[in-house]
């Protein structure tokens, strides 16, 4: 228990991670470095400084990571049209590798030999943090207090606070919620509470980032998104930075009741869990990206991407962002995006994201071939006969053997 | 050109296939058998009898195939959560193998040596009809008039009608449309006309099966769907036949503005084309099926299905329903559906299909394990450490070699 | 430690598992049931009875499982042409699920609440035993002594024997080997010792089941294998039971220097390890199965099988035989084997398995089509133009946009 | 027929392509440019010049492409451990895209508007040539005489020669063979003749590049191959150019009876065909590449490569080298090869390629972890329990529902 000298903690400024600061010092007799990141979760991060200082922390890192988060993690993931289990846009999953990287970089800068986090032993986040940490610093010591301590009830935590003079007003800054939540620029998530019964509908007051479709405006909003190499670079014709793209789409999406999701998902640790998510901007981006690909991407490239996507999504969900296999898939995906350029026009209306137009100088849609009108010889319909005949040949040979008639 | 004695034609009763009847007789000096099927396209099929008789056809087949269509084609496809290119629910594709099968069965019954259809040489349907036909009767002769004749404009067709006494009122029964359309119980599709420019939004008056989200009721509709072995067997607790399921869901979905789709897709013959689709019932079924699977299907089964799905969808889109490889995938998919039983509650509102509850006696969701509360030892959080450590081992060994830091 | 009442142990009769009998009784104060199986490892299993009795065991199971092993595990696996990491034929992996099943069935028969095995904490076998056990009896208690005790050196084990009156002659029956070995009808494996350096060539005296290619006869052996539904049912025209097939092929293969393999493989627990294997019969079966498939299996079925195989192999290697996803893949594979019937002629010579002939009433090889001579119209070469033109269409459209020239 | 002005012909100097020169001029009234490449087929290419001149050709291209062939086509393909249908090393397939590229480049240089080749309408090569040509020059005209003319017997060809003063000694330079053959540095292939019966063993005199295993030396040959980034760069420690690597391995492999293959394969045009191949160097390279990967490549990267390989092989076999989807897969494969460095020692003996050692500074084999001896804490066996428990969790939950017991 005592060979840890200094530990870098992913510190939110909330009650739980404040308890962890104390507990680490007490349990490991070690120095604690706190790291607090602005990933667009919608809360100020600067107040974490005073809180950490009050807990006796001397090395305090507070950083705005929104730009790198969207540019280097969210955007590459969206190039793959990534969805986990047909529904989930991986809002929590994609933030973890960046946090893991900064924890390790700070450990290297400060000479720390360990990292710590506030994720429980039942969830995916512990895996994502720790796989990232081990991949980037193989000999790092990882401390996961929730797997070690016995403070496994709210009551015990409160007693610990009292005994250790941790100001409980820490908790009051955050509106008390019956849900376990996580937020960043890509989404906000809700778990626990009444959601633990999959038959129970989520309460309207749970949702924080979007209005309900019912409450959304009766007038649709139209928006043009410009892509370069598969990433959004402009909104309504105006060049926009990656994190500003996502902020803006969250805003306009949330206003139009877009991006709510209520699912039961399969965790990497082997259980099913109910989760609710709001991903307004991501929901818009996914639809738009598929639309721009629909006119600019080769058919077989698109189909190959679709076949690779479930595995790519699983890797990110399970915490393997830093793995060599994720990098292999990324290389294939990125290779396909060079011509994914152009503009998509969307109509946003009461929960719906409707594609109404797409155009591109790199379009492979050739109206002169596809037309129902006279195509002036661009396509010779007689070619189809040979195409079908040879594609059918193996089936015909098999059929002659009486094979295919069951 | 002259070795055909009798040909079975997929006959809609419309102008084009009526011209084909005449053209086949004239060109091949052969008998023509017509086959007209009710697949739920929403038009009477019985009038095709008089039209065929007027054209001199003696063997006329008119059949209601709605039940087998949904039970034996649509439902098996939906077990796989099948989507082509991330969007398209394959409404046209899935009807073709059934039509091909009946054409061949009728050919066998009537002693015909050829089949014919009215699909063009640019599209997917010719491929689907013909691959099916060859797979089921390898030596059948296939006649595809659109690839052979020179009646490649409306004017030439009309002249042909006049010259051959084909009553052009045939065409008047059908509301004249600028779009090429196809319909069956699963969907109605639109191509051509202004849709040939992917930047142009579809006109509101084009859509026939659904109201717009704007025009849908302000009150949501709740619906309970009961699944057995992956198929819907009851609606709101009442046992319902497959095709009645789809009819009802089309109705309630269309009323709530659900199921419109506007995409550019990649045809098997090598071109991109714009298509608009209304699939109200199918859109609801897909969402509901994923929801019931989310609590009843094993994680790795679900992920394997997701990995296999794009290929399965491609096979159906390309016309390989009767192929041995489609049957292999179907065997795998069906193997997974034994416990996909239970009820899904949906909220339908202005284009949105929202899952609000799912329950099943076969549920693998175990609240006693997933809970954020005390789980009474159902899950030992300490197991997670070993799980992570061994999953990380290969990454750590590589990291020690300086591998993963780029 | 003390809530175990009765444990079923996979008992080889060797020193290690004899120590485990004593250690289980002493540590858990429980009854021990021993289970010893003949899987064709080439050693008598009956002597295990006296040894178990001498250790005070009252319930002793000794069984000949060779037939079920080959028919229900080895043969289904070979239908998939299964190879792990391009080389390994999974000889050890495929025996574990059967042992796990019998352990659990015996536990159910004898009212035991736990099972135990002698596999170490570093290997794959612990995983295979335990995943199987948990899948078949989810609440079973698993005891893995090598992960628990401190007898982690030969010396400590010997001391334990002395202290507990375990007759060490137990060990003498087995020729002392520097290698860790495992054998069953499919293979014999070697690990450890000098093999721990991947640059060191295995010594000739290590190999037990095969002569070296150098020492094999100078005359080739020809053999005919008859397949039904993908399984071998006759040798040289004589009907043969599954395990007799494998016994015979091991003999003739070993005599001809066939089936030696020396690889570094990736274990599921995260490390690489060196292993040497002799799989004479399996090496022959794999080659023959591919040969019979080459004339009887549809192209796309074959390609789909090749795409699914690596995952199927991984599942078996990792211990997921009893998982739903393995059963899904098996359903797909078995679906493909109905017409995999016929005869393959092989030439065996000094390590080589050479296919020299294949024939089948279900052959899809059609000489009248494939011939370089006049095919009398069986194939119309002009069809190829349309086939190529439409397959090229997407490439041409992309090329016109300057896409493919890098 | 007459809109072709100048055509570039893939010209071997043999009788068939000499006839094509004349036939093109006569049929299309066009200029012919000949292109003859040395790909290591083992015949002089320079004599083609005089022959072409004798046929009146004015623009004659004769090129040594051996280096680019191996470096830019063969080596990238071997990085993927590419095998078609479990057996075939794609020796013919991989040469076609290079020839297609040079045909198109020469067409661009000479102002030609068409290309031509001597491949038949039944085979894969026409597809490979033409897909390549269309991908690189979308509006090129392709002339495939074998699909157009009626010279479909040897007799008609000879008559044509006589009528057109084509010196038939052209044919005599080549030893008359009953087989259709193709050769380049990677392999030589045989089709037709007695091989059209898959039950007939190939005659010993057919094989040209290798001795039989029986005739190979009684002494084994040892060889060390050094890899950098997945490619062989040195033999027995001596730096060697790509095409010299393959030349040398062909020589030493052929001498040791290595690389003969006799298979029935599935052509892209829909038929099965029998082919025999000699690929001595390629057989050695494949084995060696897997061996160096076995110690240097991450497990999941290796498994992902194995899953992608069948599709990659199919793309090359079918002629899609220049397609965007092949480039996507190549990007993934190449991404994995950075650390595939080191030395493999092989023993070559009478048809066997036996790996006897592998070593690398980038080795991920860690004896200190894998050892059966005391590992000094490098691996904590207790971690395995948690690893297994969580991997088993989903199976246990399913088993409690009675799922997995069938």
């Amino acid at each position: 228990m005592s060979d840890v000298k200094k530990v870098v903690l992913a510190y939110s400024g909330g009650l739980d991670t404040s308890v962890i600061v104390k507990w680490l010092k007490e349990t490991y007799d070690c120095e604690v470095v706190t790291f607090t990141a602005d990933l667009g979760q919608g809360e100020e991060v600067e107040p974490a400084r005073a809180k950490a200082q009050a807990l006796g922390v001397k090395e305090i890192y507070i950083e705005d990571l929104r730009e790198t988060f969207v540019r280097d993690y969210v955007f590459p993931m969206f190039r793959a049209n990534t969805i986990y289990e047909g529904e989930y846009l991986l809002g929590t999953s994609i933030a973890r590798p960046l946090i893991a990287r900064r924890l390790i970089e700070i450990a290297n800068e400060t000479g720390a030999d360990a990292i710590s986090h506030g994720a429980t032993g039942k969830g995916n986040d512990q895996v994502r943090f720790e796989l990232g940490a081990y991949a980037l610093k193989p000999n790092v010591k990882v401390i996961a207090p929730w797997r070690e301590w016995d403070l496994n009830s709210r009551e015990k935590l409160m007693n610990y606070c009292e005994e250790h003079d941790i100001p409980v007003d820490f908790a009051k800054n955050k509106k008390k919620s019956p849900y376990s939540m996580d937020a960043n620029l890509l989404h906000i998530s809700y778990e626990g509470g009444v959601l633990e019964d999959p038959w129970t509908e989520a309460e309207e007051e749970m949702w924080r980032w979007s209005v309900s479709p019912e409450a959304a405006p009766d007038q649709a909003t139209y928006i043009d998104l410009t892509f370069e190499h598969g990433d959004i670079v402009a909104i309504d014709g105006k060049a926009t930075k990656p994190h500003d793209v996502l902020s803006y789409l969250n805003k306009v999406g949330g206003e139009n009741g877009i991006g709510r999701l209520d699912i039961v998902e399969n965790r990497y640790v082997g259980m099913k869990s109910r989760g609710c998510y709001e991903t307004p901007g991501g929901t818009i981006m996914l639809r738009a990206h598929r639309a721009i690909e629909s006119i600019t991407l080769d058919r077989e490239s698109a189909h190959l991407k679709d076949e690779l996507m479930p595995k790519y999504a699983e890797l990110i969900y399970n915490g393997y962002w830093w793995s060599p296999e994720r990098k292999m898939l990324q290389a294939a995906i990125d290779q396909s995006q060079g011509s994914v350029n152009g503009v998509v026009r969307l109509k946003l209306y009461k929960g719906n994201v409707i594609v109404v137009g797409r155009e591109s100088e790199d379009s492979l849609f050739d109206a002169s071939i596809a037309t129902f009108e006279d195509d002036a010889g661009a396509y010779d319909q007689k070619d189809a006969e040979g195409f079908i005949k040879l594609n059918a040949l193996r089936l015909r040979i098999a059929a002659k053997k009486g094979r295919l008639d069951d």
Side-chain angles (χ1 to χ4, degrees), chain A:
Chain A
M1 271 288 176
S2 55
D3 59 343
V4 171
K5 295 205 173 51
K6 191 190 278 192
V7 57
V8 185
L9 171 67
Y11 180 64
S12 72
L15 180 68
D16 291 8
T17 48
S18 294
V19 169
I20 290 175
V21 172
K22 278 286 182 196
W23 181 86
L24 286 170
K25 290 184 177 206
E26 188 176 70
T27 309
Y28 286 91
D29 190 23
C30 64
E31 272 187 77
V32 174
V33 181
T34 59
F35 163 59
T36 309
D38 184 358
L39 293 164
Q41 60 267 49
E43 284 177 19
E44 292 298 309
V45 290
E46 196 48 41
R49 188 180 309 277
K51 293 178 185 176
Q53 285 169 334
L55 291 161
V57 176
K58 286 180 194 130
E59 291 174 287
I60 297 169
Y61 284 75
I62 294 179
E63 300 176 358
D64 180 354
L65 299 178
R66 292 174 303 152
E67 182 163 0
T68 181
F69 173 52
V70 179
R71 186 186 61 226
D72 301 327
Y73 299 80
V74 173
F75 273 12
M77 180 172 79
F78 272 77
R79 283 175 215 146
N81 303 318
T82 315
I83 316 179
Y84 181 68
E85 298 188 341
E87 305 272 10
Y88 175 40
L89 297 183
L90 295 170
T92 297
S93 323
I94 192 60
R96 301 318 192 192
L98 169 55
I99 296 172
R101 193 177 83 174
R102 287 301 299 142
L103 285 173
I104 293 305
E105 288 170 346
I106 293 168
N108 290 341
E109 283 168 33
T110 60
D113 50 353
I115 61 125
S116 182
H117 61 76
T120 82
K122 283 189 172 179
N124 297 303
D125 287 328
Q126 57 175 343
V127 189
R128 296 165 186 154
F129 283 132
E130 298 178 30
L131 289 181
Y134 288 133
L136 297 170
K137 188 179 173 74
N139 291 319
V140 72
K141 165 88 181 159
V142 174
I143 304 172
W146 286 96
R147 297 200 304 254
E148 291 190 22
W149 70 24
D150 59 353
L151 305 179
N152 46 11
S153 73
R154 190 81 347 210
E155 196 187 344
K156 286 183 188 169
L157 266 183
M158 288 302 176
N159 290 344
Y160 189 94
C161 289
E162 195 161 313
E163 290 164 20
H164 294 77
D165 286 329
I166 300 172
V168 182
D169 351 326
F170 272 30
K172 295 187 182 161
N173 292 326
K174 197 171 175 179
K175 185 187 161 195
K176 181 60 189 163
S177 162
Y179 305 104
S180 171
M181 294 189 293
D182 178 68
N184 60 50
L185 259 176
L186 184 50
H187 87 166
I188 180 167
S189 67
Y190 311 88
E191 295 182 302
V194 298
L195 301 179
E196 292 191 359
D197 175 3
W199 185 250
T200 303
E201 185 172 356
E203 305 157 309
E204 182 53 34
E205 54 264 47
M206 177 190 76
W207 307 98
R208 298 191 169 200
W209 280 20
S210 63
V211 301
S212 70
E214 286 90 337
D218 290 329
Q219 284 296 321
T221 303
Y222 281 77
I223 190 170
D224 285 5
L225 300 177
T226 303
F227 285 84
E228 276 182 18
H229 302 342
D231 298 337
I232 298 175
V233 296
I235 297 179
D236 288 334
K238 194 181 154 201
T240 310
K241 287 187 175 176
H243 56 296
D244 293 330
V245 165
L246 201 39
S247 288
Y248 181 79
L249 294 181
N250 279 335
K251 182 176 162 295
V252 69
E255 288 168 355
N256 282 289
I258 287 164
R260 291 185 177 185
L261 183 66
D262 175 345
I263 56 170
V264 175
E265 74 198 55
N266 291 292
R267 287 193 192 149
Y268 189 28
V269 293
M271 70 186 69
K272 289 183 182 290
S273 74
R274 168 90 170 278
C276 288
Y277 303 97
E278 287 172 284
T279 321
T283 302
I284 295 168
M285 290 204 302
L286 174 66
R287 204 70 189 267
H289 187 262
R290 276 212 173 266
I292 192 64
E293 283 193 339
S294 78
I295 57 167
T296 59
L297 197 61
D298 166 74
R299 179 186 72 202
E300 295 301 311
S301 299
H303 292 196
L304 178 55
K305 286 187 66 203
D306 282 348
E307 290 194 21
L308 298 178
M309 187 275 284
K311 180 168 188 76
Y312 179 82
E314 186 184 81
L315 288 173
I316 294 176
Y317 186 86
N318 288 355
Y320 290 95
W321 179 265
W322 297 109
S323 72
E325 65 272 22
R326 202 277 308 172
K327 292 175 188 173
M328 285 176 65
L329 290 177
Q330 194 72 56
I333 293 158
D334 290 354
Q335 166 73 24
S336 73
Q337 299 292 294
S339 300
V340 180
N341 308 313
V343 182
V344 172
R345 177 162 292 172
L346 300 169
K347 176 182 171 186
L348 311 178
Y349 176 71
K350 284 188 181 290
N352 297 277
V353 182
I354 301 163
V355 177
V356 295
R358 35 335 228 169
E359 67 177 2
S360 171
E361 294 191 0
D362 293 294
S363 177
L364 300 174
F365 178 89
D366 187 332
S368 71
I369 288 177
T371 185
F372 280 83
E373 312 298 321
D374 189 342
D375 66 8
Y379 177 97
D380 184 348
Q381 300 207 19
K382 289 191 178 50
D383 287 337
E385 185 182 340
F387 178 74
I388 296 168
K389 280 277 187 64
L390 293 203
N391 279 315
L393 183 55
R394 66 181 174 98
L395 301 175
R396 294 174 78 183
I397 294 170
K400 284 178 194 168
K401 291 280 181 178
R403 285 286 186 83
L404 304 177
D405 44 343
D406 56 328

